[in-house]
Amino acid sequence: MESSETAGSKGGVLPLLIGCGVLVFLLVTGEALLQDSDIFWQIETGRWILAHGAVPTADLFSFTKAGAPWLSSSWLAQVIFALAMQAGWAGPVIVTALAAAAAFALFAAYLERHASALLTTALTLLAVALTVPHLLARPHVLALPLLVAWFIGLIDAADRKAAPRWPLLIVIALWANIHGGFGLGLVLIGPTALEALRQAAPAQRLFLALRWAAFGVAALVACCATPYGWNTLIAASKILSLGEVLTTVAEWSPPDFGRFGPFEASILALFGVALWRGLTLPWPRLLLVLGLLHMALGHIRSVETFALLVPIVLARPWAEQLAPRSVAPPVARSEFALPGWAVATAAVTIIAATVAVAPRLNYRFVATQIPEQALAAAQQHGAKRILNAYEFGGYLISRHVPVFIDGRAELYGEAMVMDMFRAAAGRDAGALDRLVDNYNVDATLLPAQQPIVGLMDRRPGWRRLHADDIAVVHVRDGL
């Protein structure tokens, strides 16, 4: 590794190559991005916004919560996906791939300041391996480059012993319109400010603390620069009130260490290298690493944050310890470095070429979340109030069918979502009774392999109408 004082300007070639590599990989494996039916309701919300010139303030899609207050914390991402969908599924795939590629290019550009090209590439590949399982055509991926850019801006300010530059507020304002995860960006201000104060001279700390405090307040205000204003903060926090749901939904559940995988390998490597080389961290950075690790151990959803932010936290102090300033030779600018305008031109050319090939890319959404035949059978039989599985909600919304439930767990609440999960697992017939009776359901549309199908087969007053490899439909006897 190279110290921050000796690492020269690298010209952006390596980050550009890494970004291009990630882009190509994601385009080749594009159908892997189309594995979550939430994208259907994201697109439909974007279309509604474009058609009405406004953002939704109440539920648009269900019969169980019709008209209930609901704010879309990802409204801008939804508009982007809706516009991209004009090119078919290739559109959302390309948008998602470009966002992920930009995030990893920014990540590599920062690491390259402090590490060799080989180590930068290796760490980026590890970050990609940890992040790929959660790369889906959904708003959180569009926010990844904003997450990386925001944190780099904060950590750079700390290393300069200064407050962040004011234009950085544009990043978090955009983030607040793209995805509700911007709250993490606000949280990161605190420990990064402590690192800045630690590095600053004692006489400068009071003034610097006031500047960081002012920036924090300004960042909070910037997060409200959305169509919802201050309500943006409330909407983003609702996911935290879901209680048991956060341990049940796959993306919010803890990682499974039953089998050895990249995440466990990265944790062991982190501690192994630190112990082997005797590496240390200033206490504010140590708090950051421990906090990010705690989040990743609590929720799979946070593994990508761990993968992208921890190397940035470690880069400078570990580089300085591995290559002390007193013995490190100066590193000249790479003879292969390109001027900034050339790198920018190459990036724009790559993006334009990617968009140009969109009509030639043919992607299909995962079939197991598209119960087309089953829905047709239920509709032909006159079903109006269909109790659908959680994963089928997005598809039904795309067909303009009022849904029982979908991926907007914060709208339906902990009790209803947990009743649905327990019933689907076949563990709680009482939960199924509540769902069917309280909402006057006249048909069910359920995955063929879920235990709840057996409960419905044995339920008095109901009969099986349709079954295929994807879904099973039950209707009331009198329907």
Side-chain angles (χ1 to χ4, degrees), residues 22-35 39-40 84-85 87-98 137 353-367 370:
V22 172
L23 179 61
V24 170
F25 170 75
L26 293 178
L27 292 180
V28 170
T29 61
E31 288 187 357
L33 303 177
L34 303 174
Q35 301 285 325
I39 186 60
F40 284 107
M85 194 61 189
W89 284 117
V93 167
I94 289 174
V95 167
T96 304
L98 284 170
T354 302
V355 174
V357 302
R360 301 177 183 273
L361 301 175
N362 184 25
Y363 299 110
R364 292 180 297 177
F365 199 88
V366 58
I370 303 180

Side-chain angles (χ1 to χ4, degrees), residues 55 71-73 75 150 168-183 185-186 189 215-237:
V55 293
L71 308 182
S72 177
S73 57
W75 75 272
W150 172 256
L168 189 61
L169 296 173
I170 298 172
V171 174
I172 202 164
L174 183 58
W175 189 355
N177 286 276
I178 290 284
H179 187 252
F182 67 88
L186 294 175
I189 295 174
F215 181 84
V217 172
L220 186 65
V221 173
C223 289
C224 299
T226 78
Y228 295 115
W230 292 102
N231 289 321
T232 301
L233 303 174
I234 299 173
S237 66

